[in-house]
Amino acid sequence: MSGGSSTLAGTGALFRFALRRDRLRLPVWIAVGTFMVVTQSVSSQALYGTPADLAAYRASVGSNAATIALAGPPVGLDTVAGAVAFEISATVMLIAALMAMLTVTRHTRADEEAGRTELLRSARVGRHAPLLAAVLLSSLACVVLALAIGAATTASGLPALGSFVLGASVGACGLVFTGITAVAAQATGYTRSVYGLVGGLFAVAFVLRAIGDIEGNWVVWTSAIGWAQATHPFTDDAVVPLMLCLVVAAALVVAGFALLDRRDLGSGLTQPRPGRRAARRALLSPLGLAVRLHRGALIAWTVGLGLLGVVYGALADSVETLIGENEQALAVFGDPDVDQLVDAYLGTTFAVTALLASSYAVSAVLRARAEESGDRAEVLLATATSRPAWLGSHVLVALWGSALAMAVAGVTTGLVRVAQTGEWAALGRMVGAAVSYIPAIWVVAGVAVALFGLLPRQAAAMAWTAVGLFLLITMFAESFDWPGWVSDLSPITWIPTLPLEEWTLAPLLGLAAVAAVLLAAGFTGFRRRDIALG
């Protein structure tokens, strides 16, 4: 893989370079995935400490179609270990798929789009080397994630064989999406299109798996997620489905190399349609252009959070049955009265939704950084467009877009609750609970803006690290009894758990002030620094 005129010349050097570029990003992904499994293991061992608790849990979720659709096949629910695999495997497989998608795209299509691949190809680097280096790096990350989950879950007290089978199923799912991304990076000429295509295929795989698991039929075998979950960790510990994952992943990678030979550098197999002769009036302003650039992602996130609100609302009626008689589970929600369980559950789901909306806000802010590093912002700023106007347009879309997505999630949850209870007042309560998180979301967006203005080259890595820390603190600080000051580091935890708790204005005003300071720091830093390419 080195030297000569081979199409793989330079692969080793590119692999080491990619490994160095991702020396912080990949460990964060692996640590988050592993930590979530271990946390689920520890929590489940505390929650389902007696056979009666397990029997109640099994009776509740074993025939609940909504839970099966979200989690997977209800297998092994007579053991705590089986319950752990049931509850967490789909979530960690999503993390593995996202890690694989972002890794392969970052080192293939994104580099090609930015012109870096063309520079590399002018040296002694073969045509296939960038793709092979990206696939090797993503595969290595999936293997390390699998081993880390296996080792850490075993250390948490679960059987070793099942722990490593669970880790292997997660890693195998990541390998399949490594192959899918390798193909998608050849099909389209834009990074965001790769993200959309792979994300859409993951959603299709998830839906097919859900249909197959609910109906108990062959449809589950049309989904890569279904193959990985068919290992049934801690119950059957089957490894044959993993072979199917490996074969399909290898076939997809081979297909990616074949498609690479059928397109030109910098383009995809599908060509974009010619644009209009003249731009529409709406595009002749920084805000109009920003809305056009963010339109697809904003629609996708808004629809996704709206559907998530439907799912959360649909599961609300099951909550009382699911954990109403489980004292440990009640403790997780702060020991509310049984009548308040649904409100406590909905409050927790809105916190999760707020974390997702924060992720959208950060990605929207970082789009400005992509425009800057891609040399497109400099062209615009050479015109009469001022720096505050240009950055403000992206920030405005991020702030109002995240607020819109959160409000839609509140509306969909509220409409489902209205259908369940027949009380229209539920709609207002759900919308109010959802939009109360907007100041906290804007603080997270403000962190990204401040990093963009002050530390542009480190902004993406540091902003996503902050999002990961906020997620860990919000989700697990109470379960692990972390000190109060640690919990206060996440702006999401400042918001009362609505609709269970009473609404108060003080934390919202405090968060709004913090967000304003962060935004001011970001705009000031951007106005004073040079444009940072690359």
Side-chain angles (χ1 to χ4, degrees), residues 172-187:
C173 185
L175 289 176
V176 172
F177 279 88
T178 296
I180 290 175
T181 310
V183 172
Q186 318 311 318

Side-chain angles (χ1 to χ4, degrees), residues 222-258:
T222 62
S223 165
I225 303 172
W227 307 337
Q229 289 190 324
T231 55
H232 300 156
F234 307 108
T235 304
D236 298 333
D237 292 328
V239 296
V240 173
L242 298 181
M243 299 299 106
L244 181 58
C245 290
L246 296 179
V247 170
V248 171
L252 287 167
V253 171
V254 171
F257 282 109

Side-chain angles (χ1 to χ4, degrees), residues 323-344:
I323 60 178
E325 298 179 358
N326 188 322
E327 295 181 357
Q328 289 85 357
L330 289 171
V332 171
F333 288 95
D335 289 318
D337 295 334
V338 174
D339 293 340
Q340 297 176 305
L341 267 177
V342 172
D343 285 347

Side-chain angles (χ1 to χ4, degrees), residues 115-139:
R116 289 187 285 268
T117 302
E118 187 174 9
L119 289 175
L120 287 171
R121 290 288 309 281
S122 66
R124 298 180 61 184
V125 172
R127 179 177 179 79
H128 293 162
L131 178 58
L132 181 58
V135 168
L136 290 175
L137 181 63
S138 179
S139 301

